[in-house]
Amino acid sequence: MTGETMETVQQAVGDRTAAVNYHTCNRELFTLRKELLEQLGALRAMVNDGESDARLELALRRAESELEDVTRRIMDLNLGLVRKYVALFASRSNEHVEDLESAGKIGLLRAICSYDPDRAPFSRWAFKPIQREVLRAVRDIDHPNLNPGDFEKRPAILAAKQAYLEVAGPDAPVNYADVARRAGVSEAQVRRVLLPPRLETLHTPASDQGEDEVAWEERLVDPSPSTEDTVLRRFNLRGIGRDLPKLESRERFVLARRFGLDGEPEESLRAIGERLGLSGERVRQIERKALAKLAETIAGTSSDASGRLAGRAG
C-alpha cells in the first residue's frame, strides 16, 4: 500500500470516526434535553398548583439553567450545519455572511426545540428550518421586492425562461404564458419575478420642483428615541426588574446588558451581538421584541402607582 493510499484510508477512517462521535454526542445531548424538559414540566406543574417554596423555586431555576446550557452545547455542536448552508451564498453575498449565519442560527434553534431524539438524525431534521430562515434572509438582502411565495418559485421561473430562450432564440421576446406553463406557476408570478418593481432610494427627490426638491429621507420621522424617552425607558426597566424572568433567557440577557440592569456597564448592540454570536441588527430586533413584551407590564405598573396615589389623595 502506497503512502498516498495509506493517507487516504486514514482520512476516511478519521472522517467516519468524527461522524460517529458527532451523532453520538447529539443523541446524548438531546436525550438529556428531553429529560430536563420533563423535569421542568413537573416542577412548573407543582408551582402552578400552589406548592411553590424557596426550595422548589431554586430547583426550577437550576433546571432552567441546565436546559439553557444543554441547548447552547447543541447549538455549538451543530453550527457547522448552518455554516455549510450559508456557504452556498457566501460567494455572491460575502458582506452579509454574518446576517445569513444569524438567520441560520434561528432556524437551528427552532429545529432543536421541535426535535425528538427518537426521530431521524438531527442533521436531516434541521435542514428545512435552517434553509427556510437563510432563504428568507437572502430574499430580504438580494430581492427585497419579491414576496416569499414568488421568491420560492424564482429558481423554477428562471430555469423555465432559459429553456424557452433555448428554443425560441436568445434574442426572442419572452413569452410569459409559455414560461408560466413550463414552471408550473401563474403568468402573474412570472411577470412579478422577471419584471420586479423598481425600489426607489430614499435619496430620490419627492418632487420635481427644481431647487425645492426634498429627498424622501428628509421627510421621514426619526424613529430613534429622544433623550427624555431613553431616560424614562431606563427608569421603567429598572423599576420592573422583578418581571424580567417572564422574558426568554436571551431577551433578559439583551435587556440586562443593554441598559446595565445587572449593575454592569451598558453595552452596545455590536458588543452584545459578539457575546451571542449575532449581528447588531438581530440584537436590536430581540431588544425591540422584549420591550414590546414589557410594555404591558410598564403600563400596569404605572396604573397601579396611579391607583395608589389616588387612594392616598382620597
Side-chain angles (χ1 to χ4, degrees):
M1 182 179 295
T2 65
E4 184 178 350
T5 304
M6 177 65 74
E7 184 178 346
T8 302
V9 171
Q10 290 176 342
Q11 178 66 38
V13 171
D15 292 344
R16 190 177 302 113
T17 301
V20 170
N21 290 339
Y22 164 76
H23 290 299
T24 301
C25 288
N26 252 341
R27 186 164 53 251
E28 292 175 352
L29 287 172
F30 272 110
T31 299
L32 177 57
R33 189 175 188 278
K34 186 176 181 179
E35 293 173 355
L36 286 170
L37 284 172
E38 293 173 352
Q39 181 182 345
L40 269 173
L43 289 171
R44 285 168 178 162
M46 295 171 65
V47 170
N48 292 336
D49 290 341
E51 302 178 27
S52 179
D53 56 29
R55 187 169 55 84
L56 185 58
E57 288 287 344
L58 180 61
L60 182 61
R61 296 290 171 259
R62 184 182 295 116
E64 289 176 340
S65 178
E66 291 178 1
L67 177 64
E68 186 175 337
D69 179 65
V70 169
T71 301
R72 187 181 300 110
R73 288 165 61 189
I74 296 174
M75 286 283 291
D76 291 342
L77 179 63
N78 290 279
L79 277 180
L81 300 176
V82 172
R83 292 179 178 135
K84 183 177 180 181
Y85 193 79
V86 168
L88 298 175
F89 305 94
S91 59
R92 72 166 185 265
S93 302
N94 198 43
E95 69 275 19
H96 299 295
V97 168
E98 185 179 358
D99 290 328
L100 296 182
E101 286 192 356
S102 295
K105 288 175 184 177
I106 295 174
L108 176 59
L109 184 58
R110 288 179 174 170
I112 291 172
C113 294
S114 62
Y115 180 65
D116 187 329
D118 295 330
R119 294 177 175 175
F122 178 70
S123 57
R124 190 182 308 166
W125 175 265
F127 176 78
K128 282 291 186 182
I130 293 173
Q131 179 192 52
R132 181 168 55 248
E133 295 300 328
V134 172
L135 287 180
R136 184 176 298 163
V138 171
R139 176 182 66 85
D140 292 342
I141 293 169
D142 292 342
H143 306 282
N145 50 344
L146 288 181
N147 63 54
D150 291 346
F151 179 75
E152 183 179 350
K153 297 296 184 181
R154 184 172 179 272
I157 291 173
L158 294 180
K161 176 189 173 184
Q162 183 62 32
Y164 167 78
L165 292 177
E166 289 177 358
V167 175
D171 298 325
V174 176
N175 185 319
Y176 298 106
D178 189 285
V179 173
R181 179 183 57 77
R182 292 171 183 267
V185 299
S186 68
E187 184 175 340
Q189 271 189 303
V190 172
R191 291 181 178 275
R192 287 196 300 268
V193 170
L194 299 183
L195 301 172
R198 180 171 175 266
L199 295 181
E200 297 290 345
T201 172
L202 291 179
H203 298 287
T204 302
S207 68
D208 55 356
Q209 301 175 0
E211 296 180 357
D212 295 331
E213 291 181 351
V214 179
W216 283 110
E217 62 177 346
E218 297 180 12
R219 296 192 174 196
L220 298 178
V221 178
D222 184 2
S224 58
S226 65
T227 302
E228 294 82 358
D229 290 338
T230 301
V231 171
L232 288 173
R233 177 184 287 181
R234 291 175 181 172
F235 175 79
N236 281 331
L237 282 174
R238 290 191 175 101
I240 61 169
R242 62 185 178 277
D243 292 306
L244 289 180
K246 296 178 181 179
L247 302 174
E248 297 177 5
S249 59
R250 188 163 62 171
E251 294 170 343
R252 293 199 305 271
F253 179 83
V254 167
L255 289 188
R257 300 305 319 115
R258 189 81 173 105
F259 298 98
L261 302 182
D262 52 2
E264 296 294 327
E266 299 173 6
E267 293 186 1
S268 66
L269 295 172
R270 176 181 289 276
I272 298 172
E274 290 176 353
R275 287 173 175 264
L276 298 176
L278 302 173
S279 67
E281 178 57 32
R282 178 56 187 149
V283 175
R284 187 192 302 278
Q285 293 171 2
I286 295 173
E287 176 193 6
R288 216 175 276 161
K289 180 180 177 182
L291 290 175
K293 287 184 178 180
L294 291 177
E296 183 177 349
T297 303
I298 293 174
T301 302
S302 300
S303 299
D304 292 343
S306 299
R308 288 195 296 270
L309 288 175
R312 290 177 183 176

